[in-house]
């Protein structure tokens, strides 16, 4: 048992909403509670604010609930991302496309389809220095571990295996060229940050339109509401 506390007797504090301030909450801490380690957090019920001591940065915030059904835990926030330990966990990224995720183990069984489906991914994905094996073949517009990332981020991730795209139908852009992309980590991206990402997968496309190692179509059109993406300390070792 760790990070636990016991208050002898009955210790309950109640504050009116007008009394709640950072200064009052700090002053209300019981004697012996270091304010650099503990804080008072309020829990509202029927208009009454109850105070309880809480470890700073403690994941067990009463306002958060860990998800052990779809993942290995976590809350989907930047501080407490959803934890991915299996291929099944990884496939559940599509259920929460704007959440934060952290990879706990290599995904050895090859991923065969974009983990976010055809919905834009706008969350954050921390590969945690792990590897994901890919064996994706698709004629969708955007093909990769993520089909398309808009305003999201991927970091500390390595991918291996193969990705094969080749879009044959759909809309066109202003130059009358098919809007499509094939990349190992992202088929397409806009306003996305890639940091310390490595591609060792082979990437091919029968259409030959917007093909890349880390990302396929890193699109940025000054006349359209899109933003440039950034690639920091990223490397490509796969054939394209």
């Amino acid at each position: 048992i760790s990070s636990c506390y016991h208050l002898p007797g009955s210790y309950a504090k109640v504050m009116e909403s007008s009394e709640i301030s950072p200064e009052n909450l700090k002053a209300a801490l019981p004697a012996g509670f270091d304010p650099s380690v503990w804080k008072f957090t309020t829990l509202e019920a029927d208009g009454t604010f109850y105070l309880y001591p809480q470890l700073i940065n403690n994941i067990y915030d009463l306002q958060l609930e860990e998800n052990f059904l779809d993942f290995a835990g976590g809350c989907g926030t930047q501080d407490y991302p959803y934890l991915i330990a299996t291929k099944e966990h990884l496939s559940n990224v599509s259920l929460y496309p704007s959440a934060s995720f952290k990879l706990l183990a290599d995904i050895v069984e090859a991923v065969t389809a974009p983990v976010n489906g055809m919905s834009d991914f706008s969350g954050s994905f921390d590969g945690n220095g792990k590897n994901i094996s890919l064996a994706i073949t698709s004629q969708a517009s955007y093909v990769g571990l993520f089909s398309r990332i808009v305003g999201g981020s991927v970091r500390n991730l390595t991918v291996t295996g193969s990705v094969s795209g080749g879009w044959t139908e759909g809309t066109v852009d202003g130059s009358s060229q098919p809007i499509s992309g094939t990349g190992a980590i992202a088929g397409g991206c806009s306003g996305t940050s890639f940091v310390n990402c490595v591609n060792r997968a082979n990437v091919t496309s029968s259409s030959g339109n917007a093909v890349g190692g880390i990302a396929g179509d890193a699109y940025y059109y000054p006349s359209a509401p899109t933003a440039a993406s950034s690639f920091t300390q990223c490397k490509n070792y796969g054939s394209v």
Side-chain angles (χ1 to χ4, degrees), residues 76-159:
T77 66
Q78 288 191 349
D79 290 333
Y80 312 120
Y82 288 135
L83 303 177
I84 297 172
T86 67
K87 182 182 176 182
E88 288 70 26
H89 294 155
L90 186 61
S91 68
N92 289 329
V93 167
S94 62
L95 302 176
Y96 310 90
S98 61
S100 296
F101 304 88
K102 184 175 183 178
L103 193 59
L104 298 184
D106 293 337
I107 305 300
V108 178
E109 183 182 356
V111 174
T112 57
V115 296
N116 59 318
M118 294 309 296
S119 299
D120 289 345
F121 179 77
S122 59
S124 65
F125 191 94
D126 182 0
N128 194 30
K130 307 301 182 182
N131 175 80
I132 296 177
S133 178
L134 306 176
I136 300 175
T137 299
S138 174
Q139 290 188 337
S141 54
Y142 293 99
V143 182
L145 174 64
F146 294 92
S147 55
R148 191 168 68 170
I149 306 176
V150 178
S153 66
V154 182
R155 63 185 184 275
N156 307 324
L157 177 65
T158 297
V159 293

Side-chain angles (χ1 to χ4, degrees), residues 115-219:
V115 296
N116 59 318
M118 294 309 296
S119 299
D120 289 345
F121 179 77
S122 59
S124 65
F125 191 94
D126 182 0
N128 194 30
K130 307 301 182 182
N131 175 80
I132 296 177
S133 178
L134 306 176
I136 300 175
T137 299
S138 174
Q139 290 188 337
S141 54
Y142 293 99
V143 182
L145 174 64
F146 294 92
S147 55
R148 191 168 68 170
I149 306 176
V150 178
S153 66
V154 182
R155 63 185 184 275
N156 307 324
L157 177 65
T158 297
V159 293
T160 57
S162 64
V163 176
S164 178
W167 197 41
T168 58
E169 59 184 46
T171 59
V172 297
D173 63 15
S175 61
S176 298
Q177 295 297 318
I179 301 175
S180 65
T182 303
I185 294 180
C189 61
S190 176
T192 299
S193 170
F194 297 89
V195 179
N196 194 30
C197 292
V198 178
N199 172 48
R200 295 184 181 275
N202 296 326
V203 182
T204 61
S205 174
S206 59
S207 68
N209 186 53
V211 184
I214 302 295
D217 185 11
Y219 57 96

